[in-house]
Amino acid sequence: MTAPGRRSSTFTRLLRHGFTDPSAAERLLEGAELAELRADPVLLEALGATADPDLALLGLVRLLEAQPDPTARRELLDTLIAAKPLRDRLLGVLGASEALADHLARHAGDWQALVTYEPRDLHRGVEEFERGLAEATDPVSLRVAYRRCLLSIAARDVCGTIDVAETAAELADLATATLRAALALAEADAPEDAARCRLAVIAMGKCGGHELNYVSDVDVIFVGEPADAEADETKALRAATSLASHMMRICSETTVEGSIWPVDANLRPEGRNGPLVRTLSSHVAYYQRWAKTWEFQALLKARPVAGDPGLGAEYVAALQPLVWQAADRENFVPDVQKMRRRVVENIPVAEVDRQLKLGPGGLRDVEFAVQLLQLVHGRADTSLHSGTTLDALAALAAGGYVGRADAAQLDEAYRFLRSMEHRIQLHRLRRTHLVPEDEADLRRMGRSLGMRNDPVAELLRAWKRHAAVVRRLHEKIFYRPLLDAVAQLAPGEARLSPEAARERLVALGYADPAAALRHLEALASGVTRKAAIQRTLLPVLLGWFADSADPDTGLLNFRKVSDALGTTPWYLRLLRDEGAAAENLARVLSAGRLAPDLLMRAPEAVALLGDGVAGGLRPRGRAQLEQETLAAVRRADDAVQAVTAVRGVRRRELFRTAAADIVGSYGTEAQPVEADQGALVDLVGGAVSDLTAATLAGTLRAVVREKWGDVLPTRFAIIAMGRFGGHELGYGSDADVLFVHEPRDGVDEREAGDAANKVVSEMRRLLQVPSADPPLLIDADLRPEGRSGPLVRTLKSYEAYYRRWSLGWESHALLRAEFVAGDEELGARFIELVDPLRYPAGGLGEDAVREIRRLKARMESERLPRGADPKLHAKLGPGGLSDVEWTVQLFQLRHGHEIAGLRTTRTRAALAAARDAGLVSEENTATLDEAWVLATRVRNAVMLVRGRAGDTFPTDPRELAAVGRYLGHGSGHAGDMLDEYRRTARRARTVVEELFYA
């Protein structure tokens, strides 16, 4: 007897053998069932070798208790001690699977299935499993026989007799045998239906791929035909549907012995909405005309498993050729990758980090990558025609389509992740892909995988390590062999053939694969540090280029930048070390012409794309920009040199703004897509407007200093108008301005006027001198009397004109007037002068309102370019910028004198103020704002993509796709983009007619 307070020697031994509850284990060992083996060291050693010794001991006691008589109990105990293979198998299963322990407790004689240990028992196939299920006569007995067969697979799995791939193959073979047995039962129940039709069951998914889990839906497709050529097809299909439905119920329904697994036929044509059974010709017609890319991807794993073998073979023969044509479909690679992203996005946030199958770095990443490569190269290489992931990965490596080292790492990671998945499901035979959080579950999993020192920590470390490998490689393996195709490889290493490289580049969306290969060779060849770093970067960059509408241009631009900066140490260091820089660069270089053109003129601006202190894409404010431009002017020797420096600042900052806009629109790993599109519009409008103001301020200072020194004979101010005054400039906008001056004391008015005109003339000239920097066009056409009036007026002249001659449209235009450069006090007095005109006391009279409406209607009919589609014209079309702005400005003219919020030059701010004042409903405000933001984004997109301004969507398909990508529409969805624009504009026009014309 053990003294109080002291632990027994058995207790200590149990701890040493891995028991977590030695007290409970000691009580079980002292029970009558194990009295004869209590002190047997063999039993304790065997229990300690299992995944969960406590669970194994409890399961053994339950099994002994379930034996029908002492003789049966004696036989079990004797065999357990004498036969090590049985002992390892039985206790291994009991320590890994609570569900199979429950089965053995209900069917106490089934442990006999684990006794045999012959060579043919090591790798069972469909025939062996069919023999194991042969005695089943109804759904209940089929379930019992199925569990008995499953028991043998699990025993050899947990003992390491078969590896994870062999386990998955045997589970698929058992599923095949079970489907055949279930179909036989269904046919026995309805012999007339069986005689009327031919029915083939095609396995899909993991069952079709010969890589099934312990608990998984078994995906199938059914094909039916009349039993003979003269039979009625409709009746035959009805009979086949009845048999198929019955077979599915036999497997899926819950009985006293539970269920086997759900049979899922949703991968069939039209999914749940389509007929359960189709004829072969109906299947072929569907896939030829209607099938989506993912449906051909699913057919990779199609395999006849039950029913009429001839019909099954005909199905595969008819559809397999279509599978290998899928890569020729437009937007093939983006469609596959988008589907993968959609799967990840649909995972509940709380489960993402525990998802073994669908999460980032999970099993699905490996499977998608392998299937993508199979579809691209399988038409020309039949060795890739395997539905099994690991076999296909090995074939890809052997053919040089994947690097051998990458394939080996993916193989190891996939096997480990599948082993984890098997152990999770085996415990309770439940369909789950979530890594458990309970420490006991993690400990059992770790021990089952051979981790004994610290199983929980070791398991989690190994899982994270393998998931990281998959995350790093799953897309990279698609691109890295393209570099190997043009690089020097180690002896014996396989490489992509030129034709295979071309196929892959075409699948990625490259229009000129030969040129792309030349660029890759130029970038990646050689033994320099530059080439080594670019060989590391290019596989990832190629993927980002492929995610754009113009991968060819992205790669060409990258080569140009690298040629210009490749020997610069900071450039290579930036791309290698700054996490966001490489992806930001890839997005910018492949998004259109404007940003790359700006960058090529001064490639050192790449530094802005980094995420370090020297980088950052946030646009700088006006004060900071003016400070820089004025400092540049002070350092310059003359006006030409000064304005050249100012224009250089403008070019750099335009690039910064464009890059920020592109990255916000495309999104990156570090920065998701900006959800608020209005914020991007405000960012661009504010940044370009501030930059234009700083450019004018610097140019003004340079011109004055060159000819007059520090003081101009007249005070001089620049007033922003139009979009410039509204802080809404686009990339290609002119600077709409008014020039106002006031002679200094003692200066002759003619001399002052001449000086002011010379300033304006020289500013315009210097800002348009041909150079590497984009010109800034100054437009003063909104001045009094338009082009017929003087370019510069004194403040008194403006006052006299506005008092006597001002027209309605001029008051309208002055709503956007804002001082931006020059003499601040003079600018303030000009704004004070025009405020009564743009915010008239008492508002507008009805005659003035009618005149504004008449002008708007005339503009709609006269100014729209010939041949343009009004519904797609972002500026002048119905629901476009003009509609929204005139509506908002009418509110400002009528109510600005009484509502302070309306006294703003900014369209969105004025619209919000009108809403807050109750002039516009919340719904109508949202409709107008959405339309204005979208139309502005369209104009910005056209400029970014084409490198020149435009108010309509491009007609070139690639340019149109690039605009769509910027606006958030994936490849192949340009039509959806145009439909969205039309809908948005149509809704806005309805509101405009209600508010403006009512």
Side-chain angles (χ1 to χ4, degrees):
M1 181 177 176
T2 305
R6 294 184 60 189
R7 291 178 174 174
S8 69
S9 60
T10 303
F11 186 99
T12 305
R13 283 163 53 214
L14 290 170
L15 279 176
R16 192 166 61 248
H17 282 96
F19 286 82
T20 57
D21 189 353
S23 298
E26 196 168 10
R27 287 193 297 274
L28 290 173
L29 286 169
E30 290 173 355
E33 292 79 9
L34 291 173
E36 301 173 32
L37 301 178
R38 190 171 301 147
D40 192 323
V42 172
L43 177 62
L44 277 185
E45 288 288 343
L47 287 168
T50 65
D52 187 339
D54 301 84
L55 189 64
L57 177 58
L58 177 61
L60 177 60
V61 171
R62 292 178 62 204
L63 177 57
L64 288 166
E65 290 173 344
Q67 296 306 306
D69 52 56
T71 303
R73 190 178 302 120
R74 177 78 261 163
E75 181 184 4
L76 172 56
L77 286 171
D78 289 347
T79 311
L80 188 69
I81 296 303
K84 186 179 188 304
L86 169 72
R87 185 166 62 247
D88 291 344
R89 291 180 180 193
L90 178 58
L91 295 182
V93 168
L94 294 174
S97 179
E98 190 177 301
L100 289 177
D102 291 342
H103 172 83
L104 285 170
R106 287 196 309 274
H107 303 280
D110 277 5
W111 66 270
Q112 299 277 1
L114 304 180
V115 173
T116 56
Y117 190 74
E118 301 174 13
R120 72 170 183 271
D121 181 49
L122 296 181
H123 302 291
R124 292 188 170 187
V126 176
E127 292 183 6
E128 286 81 8
F129 290 126
E130 283 188 302
R131 284 197 295 270
L133 302 176
E135 296 179 6
T137 56
D138 55 53
V140 173
S141 60
L142 181 60
R143 281 153 176 70
V144 175
Y146 174 83
R147 287 283 199 281
R148 189 182 304 121
C149 293
L150 191 65
L151 186 66
S152 71
I153 297 175
R156 286 174 291 114
D157 177 18
V158 298
C159 291
T161 307
I162 53 177
D163 66 18
V164 65
E166 292 166 332
T167 301
E170 287 197 19
L171 289 168
D173 285 341
L174 175 57
T176 296
T178 305
L179 289 170
R180 292 177 182 179
L183 182 57
L185 292 176
E187 289 175 339
D189 281 352
E192 301 86 358
D193 286 341
R196 194 171 287 137
C197 67
R198 298 166 64 203
L199 176 65
V201 183
I202 312 298
M204 305 287 285
K206 281 190 159 49
C207 183
H210 225 227
E211 51 187 14
L212 198 60
N213 300 326
Y214 275 103
V215 187
S216 175
D217 291 358
V218 171
D219 296 308
V220 298
I221 285 177
F222 295 105
V223 193
E225 295 286 351
D228 56 71
E230 298 178 0
D232 186 303
E233 184 178 288
T234 302
K235 291 181 178 178
L237 286 178
R238 192 179 301 127
T241 301
S242 177
L243 289 174
S245 300
H246 193 182
M247 186 203 83
M248 293 173 69
R249 289 196 301 274
I250 289 172
C251 296
S252 305
E253 287 181 348
T254 301
T255 69
V256 292
E257 288 291 338
S259 67
I260 301 176
W261 19 247
V263 177
D264 188 341
N266 289 334
L267 291 178
R268 67 186 184 268
E270 299 179 76
R272 293 179 182 177
N273 298 320
L276 183 63
V277 183
R278 289 175 182 259
T279 62
L280 178 57
S281 60
S282 176
H283 275 284
V284 172
Y286 174 83
Y287 283 103
Q288 286 177 334
R289 296 187 61 189
W290 308 111
K292 298 181 174 63
T293 298
W294 70 264
E295 292 177 283
F296 292 105
Q297 187 179 352
L299 282 175
L300 274 170
K301 296 184 178 294
R303 179 172 64 93
V305 291
D308 190 301
L311 182 56
E314 290 176 45
Y315 175 89
V316 171
L319 291 181
Q320 282 299 300
L322 300 180
V323 173
W324 306 113
Q325 296 169 17
D328 293 336
R329 295 165 66 92
E330 187 177 0
N331 304 309
F332 162 70
V333 171
D335 281 351
V336 175
Q337 293 174 331
K338 186 192 304 175
M339 184 179 175
R340 173 65 190 124
R341 285 194 293 268
R342 193 180 301 130
V343 168
V344 174
E345 289 165 2
N346 289 335
I347 302 172
V349 175
E351 295 182 2
V352 170
D353 292 337
R354 297 167 52 216
Q355 253 291 351
L356 199 62
K357 177 181 178 181
L358 302 178
L363 293 162
R364 189 57 60 86
D365 275 348
V366 181
E367 293 159 0
F368 262 64
V370 168
Q371 290 163 20
L372 193 58
L373 289 170
Q374 285 182 275
L375 290 169
V376 170
H377 299 294
R379 183 171 61 176
D381 188 345
T382 57
S383 72
L384 305 181
H385 293 194
S386 172
T388 307
T389 300
L390 291 177
D391 290 349
L393 181 58
L396 288 165
Y401 304 104
V402 175
R404 292 187 188 277
D406 289 347
Q409 289 187 66
L410 276 184
D411 182 280
E412 181 186 0
Y414 188 76
R415 287 175 184 272
F416 181 83
L417 296 174
R418 284 302 300 271
S419 296
M420 282 186 69
E421 182 183 46
H422 281 182
R423 296 300 189 268
I424 292 169
Q425 295 183 349
L426 182 58
H427 181 220
R428 292 193 175 93
L429 289 182
R430 290 179 183 168
R431 184 174 180 266
T432 179
H433 307 284
L434 293 178
V435 176
E437 296 177 297
D438 182 74
E439 187 164 330
D441 290 332
L442 293 171
R443 180 177 184 272
R444 183 183 58 258
M445 284 177 59
R447 285 175 58 89
S448 74
L449 296 173
M451 302 167 184
R452 296 303 168 96
N453 293 330
D454 187 354
V456 175
E458 290 178 48
L459 174 70
L460 294 177
R461 276 198 303 270
W463 171 37
K464 296 302 181 186
R465 183 178 74 253
H466 286 298
V469 167
V470 173
R471 272 199 306 274
R472 179 170 55 85
L473 290 179
H474 89 277
E475 284 188 350
K476 199 173 183 181
I477 64 169
F478 197 81
Y479 308 106
R480 183 180 287 175
L482 290 168
L483 303 187
D484 294 342
V486 296
Q488 297 295 319
L489 300 185
E493 179 73 28
R495 72 165 76 219
L496 279 182
S497 67
E499 180 59 25
R502 189 197 70 79
E503 286 175 347
R504 193 171 298 193
L505 286 164
V506 169
L508 285 167
Y510 286 83
D512 189 350
L517 283 172
R518 288 196 300 272
H519 298 324
L520 290 176
E521 184 172 12
L523 288 162
S525 295
V527 294
T528 63
R529 178 170 172 270
K530 169 188 170 184
I533 290 176
Q534 293 191 146
R535 279 196 293 272
T536 302
L537 286 170
L538 276 166
V540 182
L541 289 170
L542 285 169
W544 289 325
F545 294 148
D547 190 38
S548 73
D550 194 352
D552 298 82
T553 300
L555 181 56
L556 172 61
N557 287 334
F558 180 69
R559 181 179 176 184
K560 289 178 178 178
V561 172
S562 292
D563 287 346
L565 296 176
T567 57
T568 310
W570 64 262
Y571 170 70
L572 297 171
R573 189 165 57 248
L574 176 80
L575 295 185
R576 185 191 64 201
D577 299 336
E578 302 257 2
E583 185 172 5
N584 289 345
L585 178 62
R587 298 300 184 196
V588 167
L589 293 180
S590 56
R593 295 181 183 174
L594 178 66
D597 284 351
L598 293 169
L599 180 60
M600 295 309 167
R601 290 166 181 168
E604 64 275 5
V606 165
L608 299 176
L609 300 172
D611 53 7
V613 177
L617 294 177
R618 182 176 296 279
R620 301 159 77 195
R622 182 183 298 187
Q624 191 176 4
L625 291 168
E626 281 194 15
Q627 184 179 13
E628 182 179 3
T629 56
L630 294 176
V633 169
R634 284 194 298 271
R635 290 192 299 269
D637 295 331
D638 54 39
V640 172
Q641 188 182 85
V643 175
T644 298
V646 170
R647 289 176 66 180
V649 172
R650 178 170 178 264
R651 179 201 62 239
R652 184 197 68 213
E653 294 303 319
L654 278 175
F655 172 74
R656 188 198 302 268
T657 303
D661 188 16
I662 291 166
V663 170
S665 299
Y666 274 63
T668 64
E669 288 185 14
Q671 177 181 327
V673 173
E674 172 59 63
D676 183 1
Q677 302 297 293
L680 286 173
V681 165
D682 292 343
L683 177 144
V684 173
V688 177
S689 299
D690 286 347
L691 179 56
T692 301
T695 302
L696 291 177
T699 304
L700 174 61
R701 177 70 60 86
V703 170
V704 170
R705 194 184 71 159
E706 173 87 355
K707 295 186 179 296
W708 295 277
D710 292 333
V711 181
L712 188 67
T714 185
R715 302 172 73 185
F716 186 89
I718 303 175
I719 309 299
M721 299 289 285
R723 297 192 180 285
F724 185 15
H727 298 258
E728 297 160 1
L729 283 180
Y731 298 110
S733 299
D734 298 346
D736 289 319
V737 297
L738 298 179
F739 297 109
V740 57
H741 79 103
E742 185 177 67
R744 295 188 184 277
D745 292 342
V747 176
D748 179 72
E749 194 162 313
R750 180 184 295 273
E751 179 189 351
D754 288 345
N757 276 288
K758 286 177 181 177
V759 167
V760 172
S761 176
E762 187 66 0
M763 285 181 67
R764 298 178 85 174
R765 184 185 72 81
L766 290 173
L767 288 172
Q768 296 179 49
V769 169
S771 76
D773 301 313
L776 175 60
L777 303 180
I778 296 176
D779 187 340
D781 289 351
L782 291 176
R783 64 188 183 270
E785 302 178 75
R787 294 180 181 177
S788 303
L791 197 59
V792 188
R793 287 176 181 263
T794 63
L795 185 63
K796 287 182 179 179
S797 175
Y798 275 107
E799 184 179 7
Y801 176 85
Y802 287 138
R803 186 174 63 251
R804 298 184 60 189
W805 310 109
S806 177
L807 300 175
W809 71 264
E810 291 176 303
S811 297
H812 193 174
L814 287 169
L815 285 168
R816 304 289 202 109
E818 181 175 285
F819 166 77
V820 289
D823 189 299
E824 191 170 350
E825 192 269 337
L826 178 61
R829 284 195 285 134
F830 178 88
I831 297 302
E832 185 180 349
L833 168 67
V834 300
D835 271 350
L837 291 170
R838 54 184 180 175
Y839 310 124
L844 288 181
E846 286 304 312
D847 289 345
V849 171
R850 278 195 295 272
E851 176 64 13
I852 288 173
R853 289 171 177 158
R854 187 185 65 78
L855 282 172
K856 174 73 167 70
R858 191 179 77 187
M859 185 183 72
E860 288 178 12
S861 62
E862 293 178 1
R863 291 183 59 190
L864 198 68
R866 181 177 298 177
D869 181 352
K871 294 179 180 178
L872 293 175
H873 199 280
K875 182 177 181 181
L876 301 176
L881 294 171
S882 177
D883 265 3
V884 177
E885 289 165 1
W886 280 62
T887 301
V888 171
Q889 289 159 10
L890 183 59
F891 281 120
Q892 291 181 281
L893 289 165
R894 299 181 78 173
H895 304 285
H897 68 287
E898 58 184 355
I899 300 173
L902 289 173
R903 296 196 285 273
T904 176
T905 62
R906 306 177 188 224
T907 301
R908 297 186 75 206
L911 179 58
R915 176 202 61 203
D916 294 342
L919 301 175
V920 188
S921 70
E922 190 82 37
E923 181 181 356
N924 285 348
T925 299
T927 299
L928 293 178
D929 187 71
E930 180 186 11
W932 188 87
V933 166
L934 179 56
T936 304
R937 294 264 293 156
V938 168
R939 298 178 90 211
N940 286 345
V942 170
M943 185 65 188
L944 284 169
V945 169
R946 303 182 69 191
R948 59 182 188 273
D951 296 316
T952 59
F953 290 90
T955 55
D956 177 79
R958 183 155 279 202
E959 290 180 346
L960 186 64
V963 169
R965 186 68 183 82
Y966 171 86
L967 295 176
H969 296 271
S971 300
H973 292 276
D976 295 340
M977 171 184 65
L978 298 178
D979 289 343
E980 181 192 24
Y981 182 85
R982 291 188 186 99
R983 280 195 307 272
T984 304
R986 187 168 58 246
R987 289 196 299 266
R989 179 64 180 194
T990 301
V991 175
V992 168
E993 289 176 352
E994 175 188 337
L995 298 178
F996 184 83
Y997 288 111

